Amino acid sequence: MATMNAAVVTSFDEPPHYQPFTAPVPASTDEVLADVLAAGLHPRVRSGATGQHYTSSGTLPMIPGIDGVGRLPNGTLVYFAAADDVLGTMADKAIVDPRRSVELPDGTDVAKVAAAMNPAMSSWVALRRRVPLQPGQTVLVLGATGNAGTMAVQVAKRLGAGRVIGAGRNLARLQALRPAGADDIIQLTDDADATSAALAAEADIVLDYLWGTPARQAIMTLLTARDDRSRALDWIQIGAVAGPTAEIPSVALRSANFRLQGCGQGSVSPRAYLAELPPLVAEITAGTIAVHPNPIPLSKVEEAWTTPETPGERTVLIP
Ligand SMILES: NC(=O)c1ccc[n+]([C@@H]2O[C@H](COP(=O)([O-])OP(=O)(O)OC[C@H]3O[C@@H](n4cnc5c(N)ncnc54)[C@H](OP(=O)(O)O)[C@@H]3O)[C@@H](O)[C@H]2O)c1
């Protein structure tokens, strides 16, 4: 059996260790063993490596990594999504199912693609598959200061939003959203009254990366601020960095045309996700979405895992 080097999780309480691991073997003629060139360390990857993601099977040892850029045996450069939650992409080699991959032009910045696809996909799929954005609509990004939120501002503009509002707690990062396309910014602070007053904006769609207390507060504020409560407010729940639960008063759903749904693995079919890969790759390789990868050798995975990310950057492991 061939071996390779990989990031290996042997306990859900520890970061992965860089060590030899048996190279995976394609399970069917549809699959090939590719050389991995870059794999992003996304929040989703971290939650999978602690066994806490809702898709986690709890199997150990496991190789983390949900996606990456690789080179197929025939020389083709691809972005691919891992087919397996146990044998992921943070390794010298990974299984690629060409149906879950998209070809990249030679010369593509592999770290940029590996850094961008997961965070950018969150808003791209939400605004194309969950609530198709109508030209000119107003989109509010709740939690706009992270990688996914910052890209959501650019994606919403690119997909035709008339107005994009970025909301978050970090003022410096919020201000950096203006050159990225935000028409307005709202700072979320511990002062509930001031935050509510600032949040009393008209919006058609909210892309919510926070959930928890900020979402509860924002839902009621946005709904009560509406001139016409029968005008739809589409709330798309995407991330939960501020808390896994939010207490939503039942009146929110009765007193206004409030439509609440989520966007993620499960609420959107794998087929729909795959259909969105090529256009999104095209946007990223064309440079319409700003990306700031922080490439780190895979051999330093333990250090990369435990070192806080520089805000605005996405760690990318390079085998
Ligand atoms: N469903 C999907 O398809 C999908 C896809 C990608 C990502 N996600 C999820 O989206 C979330 C964000 O992902 P990401 O890649 O953008 O992560 P990230 O780059 O680490 O950004 C997270 C940001 O959240 C902000 N934050 C943390 N706690 C906060 C709070 N209490 N209030 C306001 N802001 C807070 C932090 O900003 P400051 O420190 O600057 O305030 C941080 O920059 C994660 O939960 C991720 O799992 C979902």
Side-chain angles (χ1 to χ4, degrees), residues 147-226:
N147 279 279
T150 300
M151 290 181 196
V153 169
Q154 299 164 70
V155 165
K157 267 283 154 90
R158 181 77 186 138
L159 293 178
R163 186 171 160 72
V164 180
I165 304 167
R169 64 181 181 182
N170 182 323
L171 188 56
R173 301 260 316 132
L174 281 174
Q175 279 161 343
L177 293 175
R178 286 199 189 272
D183 299 287
D184 213 344
I185 53 173
I186 296 173
Q187 191 182 15
L188 310 173
T189 67
D190 291 338
D191 182 337
D193 291 340
T195 299
S196 285
L199 270 171
E202 285 286 342
D204 299 298
I205 299 174
V206 175
L207 300 176
D208 173 16
Y209 291 93
L210 300 181
W211 205 234
T213 304
R216 175 183 54 77
Q217 187 180 15
I219 286 169
M220 290 316 293
T221 302
L222 286 168
L223 291 177
T224 49
R226 285 175 116 56

Side-chain angles (χ1 to χ4, degrees), residues 41-47 53-54 66 115 117-123 125-126 142-151 167-174 188 208-211 214 237-243 262-265 267 273 309-314:
L41 179 42
H42 315 295
R44 160 75 183 81
V45 175
R46 288 183 186 276
S47 72
H53 192 261
Y54 60 86
I66 56 163
M117 284 298 283
N118 170 267
M121 181 77 79
S122 64
S123 51
V125 169
L142 190 67
T145 56
N147 279 279
T150 300
M151 290 181 196
R169 64 181 181 182
N170 182 323
L171 188 56
R173 301 260 316 132
L174 281 174
L188 310 173
D208 173 16
Y209 291 93
L210 300 181
W211 205 234
Q237 207 309 298
I238 302 176
V241 296
C263 184
Q265 284 174 281
S267 56
Y273 267 110
E309 240 173 9
T310 304
E313 289 185 358
R314 173 57 30 94

Side-chain angles (χ1 to χ4, degrees), residues 4-7 18-19 34-41 63-65 67-71 80 88-94 110-111 114 294-301 315-319:
M4 61 180 185
N5 289 312
Y18 183 71
Q19 62 187 61
D35 291 325
V36 180
L37 304 182
L41 179 42
I63 297 174
D67 66 351
V69 175
R71 189 158 309 269
F80 67 105
T89 56
M90 293 187 165
D92 290 342
K93 291 181 181 292
V110 299
N294 176 26
I296 294 182
L298 181 61
S299 57
K300 298 216 159 77
V301 62
T315 299
V316 175
L317 294 167
I318 310 287

